[in-house]
Amino acid sequence: MAIPIEMPKLGNTVEECLLAKWRKQVGEPVSEGEIIAEIETDKAVFELKAPASGTLLATFFQSGDAVPVFANVCVLGHPGEPFELFRPQAGDPPPGPAPSSDSRTTAEPPPPQAAAAPAAAAASPDRPSLSPRARRFARERHFYPEAITGSGAGGRILESDLLERYHRSPRPSPLAKALLDDGFQIREEPSEAAGLIRSSDLRPPAAKISTMRERIARRMRESLSSTAQYTMNASASAVGLLALRSRIKAGHLAQSWPDININEMVLFCAVRALEQVPELNVEFLDGRIYRTEEIHIGFACDTPRGLVVPVVRNCRRLEIAELARKIKTLARQASEGSIAREDLGGGTFTVTNLGVFGIESFTPILNPPQVAILGVNAIGLKPVRGKDGGVEFVEHIGLSLTCDHQVIDGAPGARFLKTVREKIEAIESLAPFPR
Amino acid sequence: MYDLIVIGAGPGGYEAAAHAGRLGMKTLLAEKEFIGGTCLNVGCIPTKTFLKSARLFSECRSAAAYGVEIAGAKWNQAAVVQRKNKVVSTLTRGVEALLKKNRVEVVRAAARLQSAGLVQVGDRRLEARNILIATGARPAVPPIPGIDSPSVLDSTAVLNLTEVPARVAVIGGGYIGLELAGFFFAAGAAVTVLEMLPRIASGSDADISSRLQQAFKKSGVTLKTSCKVTRIEGNRISCLDDQGAAFETEAECIVNATGRVPVVQDLGLEELGIDLDRKGIKVDERGRTSLPGVWACGDVTGRRQLAHAATREGLVAVNEMAGRRDRIRYEAIPSVIYTHPEVACVGWTEEELKAQGKEYKKALVPMAVAGRFLVENEGGSGVVKVLAGARYGEILGVHMLGDLSSEFIVAAAQMMEMEMRIADVEKVVFPHPTVSEALKLALLEIA
């Protein structure tokens, strides 16, 4: 009675094995224990041995085929015995390739067949799949050649195909190999056509970005792709700011007052300007404008982990001392990383200050759904026409306002910037500063 | 139309021309003076024949230490020069044969660039797809008053001395100065070396140059480091020491070995606007100058003034012309100083690694660990220093002092060229008994 020989299960996770080579041809006599075929997994080559003596009646796969485990590979028996019932059918235990021609069962080498093994069929049509052993070979040697033709069924790439190419290709030097194992990558174009891939042809592994960096990156991209932002620049006389600042520094204000800095003064002026020009204190979401009664100001903080924007809530009618205290507390928490989640969202307007770095003008990026952000620049001398007609130099602070043109046209934007300027220039009259 | 015209037949130019011929390029080599260039005629080879004679002479005098008594050994400068000429002529014929075999047309004439692709060679104007400038360097003349005195000779003039002077002063403690100092000392002269920097062989690893300095002093050569030569009058040399104090020394022969400057004159370089500075013609890592189609290699580029570096640079340039991607790796180019004991190095020095902030491991092993070294060098000393990367163990530098380290430094150069790690060289078998075993032991000490 004919006996089928099935593909053994070589390991718990192996689902298919590669039939690397037939050692016996159809019609040949086979003795018990003789090797009929060689099988590859990604770990080793195994030999498929005859469980009994007989004649090889039929083979159901050709070399290079990926064969599901437990599928019948061939049939042993006496010449003339029927074997068709053993042929793996589509949907049979695990599906195998469905050979259509009887020529496969003859001793003639079967013609190359376009219908590939299941794994190959699943792979992309223009990139032939790798046999398990080939995959391991490639992985261990960091060797992934382009445009290689596999000699297995359906162009499947066998280890032997890679081996041949490998010996003709540039290979990593011992040092480069150690670096590749550590995650270094080969640059696009090695500087030598053949020979060695050297350490200088590699680049270090890309640094993985933090979740926070990734979030900032995404939000910035979204901002630029979903808005029509533009920036305009102006400057305000900083004489008032500086005078106030020097009075604070000299300790001329009451004990209960905090140490208010220039940034906090400008932020305070921005709140006052928003009270006067409320068009900018809105949110633009899904094509609709949402007006908000309250003013919640976000301010950009440079922290060791990246940009953080704490929000001071309910700034309307807040006195400058109180505003400055709140800003200082939030800034400290942001820097320490102890800031509460609810203090990081819900802003209706943002102020960002690069003036401390001497920046004279920049383009702040909107924080949607907000429609405006005010950049604060460095203080510098600017020539102005004096009352007597002569030129004098006056300290000015630069202001860069970015607006979303979807909502804020140039004129209202400019009107707001002008208002901010006026508030800054009149800072001492805005608040009850003790004299 | 030539595929390549090479200007200069030194080890940069002639090897490049032969290689181009081998690749099937139609090649012409123009040389106005000697086939073989400085190396073969007034550099590497003649000085080595002198040094061989000097070594033999000093071995005769120390032969008793090996149980051989030799009386009456005498120096014959004329015979030394004659042998040098014979060796040079044999090698020149060899170079000519190499060029002929590779179908290189050799023209004995000066060449001048007319434009990219056009060269005046003698009275002919020739077109070429590529031009390789390999005109080399010549001895520098430092701005010292009296440097043009008849008693001052450069490394070229020294080779034609008919007798050995009684006292020799060498200005410059680099490899040229040290080799000539060693030669004159062994040939019987009283020798003083005057070096401006705080140590001799200053480009070498400090562990090597300090030991070389000791060996020189022990042998009886006078070394003056941190010493500035201010004036030469007849046989008198005025100097300032490191404290700024003036002193004088006298010598019948004063050797100017203060370095070499590129030969860039009369080539038409300025007219064509080819980038060059005091050090030489500027080229990229593949030998391209600022003018497309014009290449340069060797001393004229001022990169590494070594014959074998020039050869490699020339081959890289020719490979690039032929569309074969290539490049030179300077860190894997060995260098040798033919003093006694010899210095042979490849790769970075410890000082350079420190300056780069590179983390490294090191081993310093005496040459005497190799039995053959003791056999060959009675009373001699030497050391092998190996530097390797702290993390991957890649070989970063090998620095050796001791005879005959020049003959096996190539092993270390190959290890570096192939980027081998200490773990990879453990399998390499070094023959026993050879001096090279000291290198093996130093490598293993790091492992």
Side-chain angles (χ1 to χ4, degrees):
Chain A
M1 144 113 204
I3 42 170
I5 299 173
E6 59 184 30
M7 178 60 77
K9 184 184 164 199
L10 300 163
N12 283 333
T13 56
V14 178
E15 287 177 7
E16 57 172 6
C17 297
L18 184 80
L19 208 156
K21 192 181 174 192
W22 284 109
R23 295 271 283 264
K24 294 288 175 187
Q25 302 298 321
V26 170
E28 255 186 87
V30 180
S31 326
E32 187 184 340
E34 242 190 310
I35 300 159
I36 302 173
E38 288 170 19
I39 300 163
E40 275 186 322
T41 68
D42 61 351
K43 294 197 180 63
V45 177
F46 292 92
E47 291 162 346
L48 192 65
K49 289 180 181 164
S53 299
T55 300
L56 186 60
L57 295 180
T59 58
F60 299 131
F61 295 90
Q62 45 186 314
S63 52
D65 281 352
V67 180
V69 296
F70 303 132
N72 290 340
V73 180
C74 59
V75 183
L76 276 182
H78 298 294
E81 282 188 280
F83 54 78
E84 270 308 319
L85 67 159
F86 298 116
R87 183 183 292 282
Q89 299 301 312
D92 203 19
S100 53
S101 157
D102 277 344
S103 70
R104 295 179 140 245
T105 57
T106 68
E108 292 298 310
Q113 200 203 3
S124 110
D126 26 305
R127 222 188 142 74
S129 67
L130 273 68
S131 78
R133 281 180 64 84
R135 203 172 302 136
R136 191 181 69 158
F137 182 94
R139 192 175 59 235
E140 283 180 350
R141 290 168 183 77
H142 307 280
F143 182 66
Y144 297 98
E146 293 291 315
I148 186 165
T149 327
S151 58
R156 191 179 172 91
I157 296 163
L158 309 185
E159 188 187 26
S160 57
D161 300 326
L162 285 185
L163 198 68
E164 201 228 335
R165 177 70 74 92
Y166 180 69
H167 285 301
R168 286 192 283 119
S169 302
R171 259 173 280 165
S173 71
L175 173 60
K177 171 81 167 63
L179 294 170
L180 286 166
D181 288 341
D182 273 3
F184 277 61
Q185 292 165 338
I186 297 175
R187 269 193 252 130
E188 287 283 309
E189 189 197 355
S191 50
E192 242 170 297
L196 277 189
I197 296 168
R198 298 175 195 280
S199 55
S200 54
D201 296 325
L202 309 181
R203 62 164 168 241
K208 204 170 173 304
I209 63 170
S210 66
T211 328
M212 179 162 157
R213 187 79 251 156
E214 213 236 328
R215 202 167 47 87
I216 294 171
R218 194 181 62 244
R219 280 197 57 80
M220 291 300 132
R221 278 196 312 274
E222 280 169 8
S223 170
L224 287 176
S225 64
S226 67
T227 66
Q229 44 190 291
Y230 66 98
T231 302
M232 45 197 166
N233 297 290
S235 64
S237 165
V239 173
L241 296 177
L242 291 170
L244 184 56
R245 179 78 188 129
S246 63
R247 281 208 290 135
I248 292 167
K249 269 197 188 159
H252 289 174
L253 297 186
Q255 285 286 311
S256 59
W257 281 65
D259 176 26
I260 306 168
N261 62 32
I262 300 279
N263 188 47
E264 290 151 2
M265 294 178 201
V266 174
L267 217 132
F268 174 74
C269 294
V271 174
R272 288 289 180 269
L274 283 172
E275 288 170 1
Q276 207 170 315
V277 189
E279 296 98 301
L280 273 77
N281 194 50
V282 301
E283 290 178 329
F284 184 62
L285 261 174
D286 300 327
R288 286 161 197 266
I289 295 169
Y290 295 87
R291 298 195 184 281
T292 45
E293 188 52 32
E294 255 311 337
I295 298 170
H296 308 303
I297 299 260
F299 60 98
C301 268
D302 180 32
T303 75
R305 291 161 300 129
L307 171 71
V308 173
V309 186
V311 174
V312 187
R313 294 184 179 279
N314 306 318
C315 298
R316 196 182 279 277
R317 286 176 299 278
L318 213 54
E319 286 309 335
I320 189 163
E322 190 51 30
L323 181 68
R325 259 187 225 109
K326 287 191 171 188
I327 291 172
K328 283 185 201 302
T329 307
L330 289 170
R332 198 191 60 243
Q333 290 170 348
S335 180
E336 290 167 352
S338 64
I339 191 157
R341 276 197 75 82
E342 55 268 28
D343 287 329
L344 288 174
T348 56
F349 184 85
T350 304
V351 175
T352 171
N353 187 341
L354 294 180
V356 286
F357 301 108
I359 298 300
E360 293 173 353
S361 136
F362 67 110
T363 53
I365 293 179
L366 284 177
N367 192 8
Q370 296 171 24
V371 299
I373 178 170
L374 178 68
V376 182
N377 300 312
I379 293 175
L381 285 172
K382 186 179 166 180
V384 292
R385 188 68 67 190
K387 288 199 178 76
D388 57 357
V391 173
E392 47 192 64
F393 288 90
V394 178
E395 307 269 12
H396 273 68
I397 187 164
L399 301 167
S400 299
L401 178 74
T402 296
C403 299
D404 188 346
H405 215 314
Q406 297 180 100
V407 181
I408 310 293
D409 291 339
R415 198 150 50 234
F416 173 75
L417 195 50
K418 179 166 172 279
T419 310
V420 175
R421 231 176 70 203
E422 288 162 4
K423 301 291 177 198
I424 288 173
E425 290 176 355
I427 178 86
E428 296 212 55
S429 64
L430 290 183
F433 294 113
R435 292 269 162 189
Chain B
M1 168 72 95
Y2 289 90
D3 292 318
L4 171 63
I5 290 178
V6 180
I7 305 175
Y14 80 73
E15 291 277 11
H19 183 57
R22 211 174 291 130
L23 294 180
M25 293 165 71
K26 190 180 177 208
T27 307
L28 180 143
L29 174 62
E31 169 59 52
K32 65 174 178 184
E33 201 172 4
F34 327 102
I35 297 295
T38 298
C39 164
L40 197 41
N41 295 279
V42 291
C44 320
I45 297 298
T47 54
K48 258 81 278 168
T49 65
F50 273 32
L51 285 166
K52 172 64 192 176
S53 299
R55 174 70 60 83
L56 195 55
F57 192 44
S58 75
E59 279 178 353
C60 288
R61 283 175 297 179
S62 60
Y66 296 86
V68 180
E69 285 174 17
I70 301 172
K74 266 165 53 187
W75 183 264
N76 179 344
Q77 177 68 13
V80 170
V81 171
Q82 201 180 358
R83 172 166 186 271
K84 180 261 292 182
N85 292 341
K86 195 181 90 190
V87 170
V88 168
S89 126
T90 305
L91 290 173
T92 306
R93 283 199 305 277
V95 172
E96 283 164 347
L98 174 78
L99 292 168
K100 192 172 172 192
K101 184 181 155 210
N102 291 294
R103 293 176 299 281
V104 175
E105 183 183 339
V106 179
V107 177
R108 306 294 290 260
R112 187 185 175 90
L113 271 66
Q114 302 294 323
S115 64
L118 193 62
V119 188
Q120 181 83 35
V121 179
D123 49 10
R124 294 155 71 194
R125 280 166 87 87
L126 302 172
E127 284 182 38
R129 283 191 184 86
N130 295 286
I131 299 163
L132 176 64
I133 303 169
T135 47
R138 69 162 71 92
V141 182
I144 299 171
I147 193 80
D148 51 356
S149 311
S151 55
V152 180
L153 303 180
D154 62 22
S155 61
T156 304
V158 159
L159 297 173
N160 294 318
L161 278 179
T162 49
E163 54 190 68
V164 175
R167 291 173 300 176
V168 176
V170 178
I171 307 175
Y175 74 96
I176 299 173
L178 293 174
E179 288 179 13
L180 290 175
F183 161 72
F184 281 117
F185 182 76
V191 177
T192 303
V193 176
L194 305 166
E195 167 58 50
M196 201 160 76
L197 295 172
R199 57 190 175 102
I200 58 167
S202 60
S204 308
D205 190 280
D207 274 327
I208 300 299
S209 66
S210 64
R211 284 172 173 77
L212 179 66
Q213 192 152 326
Q214 285 163 18
F216 256 85
K217 280 190 170 157
K218 201 174 135 199
S219 73
V221 172
T222 307
L223 292 181
K224 302 273 187 198
T225 50
S226 302
C227 156
K228 191 173 186 308
V229 177
T230 53
R231 172 176 296 276
I232 298 165
E233 279 172 287
N235 295 338
R236 282 215 320 279
I237 308 167
S238 308
C239 310
L240 291 177
D241 69 12
D242 54 345
Q243 307 298 318
F247 70 96
E248 280 193 354
T249 184
E250 280 196 27
E252 285 70 43
C253 170
I254 300 166
V255 179
N256 165 26
T258 51
R260 298 175 61 79
V261 292
V263 176
V264 290
Q265 296 79 16
D266 303 325
L267 291 168
L269 302 180
E270 292 87 350
E271 290 85 339
L272 294 179
I274 290 175
D275 248 10
L276 75 164
D277 61 14
R278 203 173 46 81
K279 290 178 79 180
I281 299 174
K282 292 194 175 170
V283 286
D284 67 10
E285 60 171 350
R286 305 183 194 275
R288 289 186 178 87
T289 69
S290 59
L291 188 64
V294 179
W295 311 67
C297 72
D299 287 4
V300 74
T301 68
R303 288 181 287 183
R304 287 286 285 275
Q305 295 196 336
L306 293 167
H308 48 272
T311 300
R312 178 77 186 116
E313 288 167 0
L315 296 192
V316 167
V318 169
N319 281 338
E320 284 289 319
M321 293 171 203
R324 298 149 61 114
R325 298 283 283 168
D326 201 356
R327 71 189 152 150
I328 184 164
R329 294 178 69 239
Y330 286 102
E331 63 268 32
I333 290 192
S335 63
V336 174
I337 308 177
Y338 295 87
T339 41
H340 178 47
E342 281 178 355
V343 175
C345 307
V346 64
W348 306 105
T349 65
E350 189 170 355
E351 296 73 41
E352 287 168 333
L353 292 179
K354 276 187 183 150
Q356 291 167 16
K358 175 93 185 169
E359 286 180 27
Y360 61 91
K361 299 180 278 190
K362 70 170 167 179
L364 194 67
V365 166
M367 280 272 183
V369 295
R372 182 80 188 282
F373 182 80
L374 284 179
V375 169
E376 295 290 327
N377 297 277
E378 184 59 42
S381 66
V383 71
V384 180
K385 180 173 179 176
V386 173
L387 299 160
R391 178 167 176 157
Y392 295 104
E394 74 276 22
I395 299 166
L396 296 169
V398 172
H399 306 277
M400 302 194 278
L401 177 75
D403 297 344
L404 287 157
S405 51
S406 63
E407 288 299 330
F408 59 90
I409 188 68
V410 64
Q414 186 186 6
M415 291 168 193
M416 289 196 64
E417 175 64 27
M418 305 308 284
E419 292 196 326
M420 290 167 90
R421 301 163 304 161
I422 296 287
D424 304 309
V425 301
E426 282 172 0
K427 301 172 207 125
V428 178
V429 176
F430 288 64
H432 176 76
T434 59
V435 182
S436 73
E437 288 172 290
L439 170 60
K440 165 117 194 178
L441 288 164
L443 290 165
L444 290 184
E445 194 169 294
I446 286 193

